[in-house]
Amino acid sequence: MARTGSTYGMGLLDKWFGETGWPRDPPVDVFCDAVWELALDGESGGWLTTSVGIMRSFPIFWDKQEQLWSQVHWFDGKHEYMGEGHGPG
């Protein structure tokens, strides 16, 4: 599955921000650009959108890892702030 992210050009920036050479966590694949129904007692109330991106982490941004983003959307038009999650790094 494709991961979200951008390539910022050729050369040095591709080394740091290109989409190749990043570790993948297969259990996270289910969250790539996904939409999940939110229901209680069989009644739908909204949906959850998720995506997986790439990021560098400390120390000094050497470690490459995946990052999970999620956001809850309610049928009444309200939504919650985006949530961010990532594994230990």
Side-chain angles (χ1 to χ4, degrees), residues 14-42:
D14 274 344
K15 177 182 177 185
W16 284 92
F17 299 105
E19 294 185 30
T20 59
W22 291 83
R24 289 190 57 220
D25 187 1
V28 175
D29 285 347
V30 70
F31 297 104
C32 289
D33 300 322
V35 178
W36 302 81
E37 178 185 18
L38 300 176
L40 180 63
D41 297 326

Side-chain angles (χ1 to χ4, degrees), residues 57-77:
S57 64
F58 289 107
I60 314 173
F61 301 108
W62 292 115
D63 293 331
K64 295 178 176 181
Q65 64 180 339
E66 292 184 315
Q67 176 177 20
L68 175 67
W69 290 94
S70 62
Q71 187 172 24
V72 174
H73 309 268
W74 301 107
F75 286 150
D76 65 4

